[in-house]
Amino acid sequence: MKRFICILFVVLTLFSFDIFSEETVRVRVDNDFIYSDVPPVLIDGRTYLPLRAILNAIGVDNKDIIWWELSESVEIRHQDIHILMPVNSFEVIVNDSIYYTDSPAFIRESRTFVPVRFLSETLNCKVDWDGINFIVDIYTK
């Protein structure tokens, strides 16, 4: 019994130091952090952020973001770029051409999460990953 209590104490101590906790991913656009009511998530090495949080930070106006309920797709118009991104699909239409992504959009907590790199680069932004600090840097200029 003493051995069991000792092992239990060690395990609980390790958890209290957050050794097994997941890293928190942060996203910056032009050196300003993006804050959203639903935080970014890291899934299989891909960072996802709620759609409007990333698009508004990049400079896309809400009037240029349309949610199509029946097809569960989002339409984005920004400058001369037109994107149609269905949820849970690997196919994305950009300016009438089909592109394939390895990280499709999905819905979680009533938000449409989109792959940060794919969407940012499609909108002509530069994207860097700081793997030490778990920060995605997006540059619009």
Side-chain angles (χ1 to χ4, degrees), residues 91-108:
E91 290 184 359
V92 179
I93 300 171
V94 180
N95 293 340
D96 298 324
S97 295
I98 296 175
Y99 290 84
Y100 295 91
T101 177
D102 60 353
S103 48
F106 63 88
I107 296 174
R108 179 186 285 178

Side-chain angles (χ1 to χ4, degrees), residues 57-74:
I58 289 173
V60 178
D61 194 280
N62 278 334
K63 69 177 177 50
D64 297 323
I65 305 167
I66 303 166
W67 171 251
W68 295 103
E69 183 76 31
L70 290 177
S71 63
E72 287 196 326
S73 300
V74 64

Side-chain angles (χ1 to χ4, degrees), residues 68-126:
W68 295 103
E69 183 76 31
L70 290 177
S71 63
E72 287 196 326
S73 300
V74 64
E75 182 178 355
I76 304 154
R77 293 183 181 271
H78 184 63
Q79 297 168 351
D80 60 344
I81 301 168
H82 179 225
I83 302 169
L84 184 62
M85 181 178 279
V87 170
N88 297 320
S89 176
F90 293 95
E91 290 184 359
V92 179
I93 300 171
V94 180
N95 293 340
D96 298 324
S97 295
I98 296 175
Y99 290 84
Y100 295 91
T101 177
D102 60 353
S103 48
F106 63 88
I107 296 174
R108 179 186 285 178
E109 297 182 46
S110 300
R111 300 286 189 281
T112 302
F113 279 77
V114 294
V116 170
R117 180 178 292 278
F118 179 84
L119 191 58
S120 299
E121 289 179 347
T122 301
L123 293 171
N124 295 322
C125 297
K126 183 179 181 304

Side-chain angles (χ1 to χ4, degrees), residues 33-48:
F33 283 104
I34 297 175
Y35 297 100
S36 174
D37 60 334
V38 181
V41 294
L42 185 63
I43 301 172
D44 295 330
R46 302 287 186 262
T47 303
Y48 292 83

Side-chain angles (χ1 to χ4, degrees), residues 4-60:
F4 174 75
I5 292 172
C6 188
I7 291 172
L8 183 61
F9 176 75
V10 169
V11 170
L12 290 175
T13 302
L14 289 175
F15 278 114
S16 70
F17 289 121
D18 289 334
I19 288 175
F20 299 107
S21 69
E22 209 175 277
E23 289 294 335
T24 302
V25 179
R26 296 177 295 160
V27 179
R28 284 190 294 218
V29 174
D30 296 327
N31 296 314
D32 292 324
F33 283 104
I34 297 175
Y35 297 100
S36 174
D37 60 334
V38 181
V41 294
L42 185 63
I43 301 172
D44 295 330
R46 302 287 186 262
T47 303
Y48 292 83
L49 196 64
L51 174 80
R52 288 190 191 275
I54 184 70
L55 290 175
N56 291 160
I58 289 173
V60 178

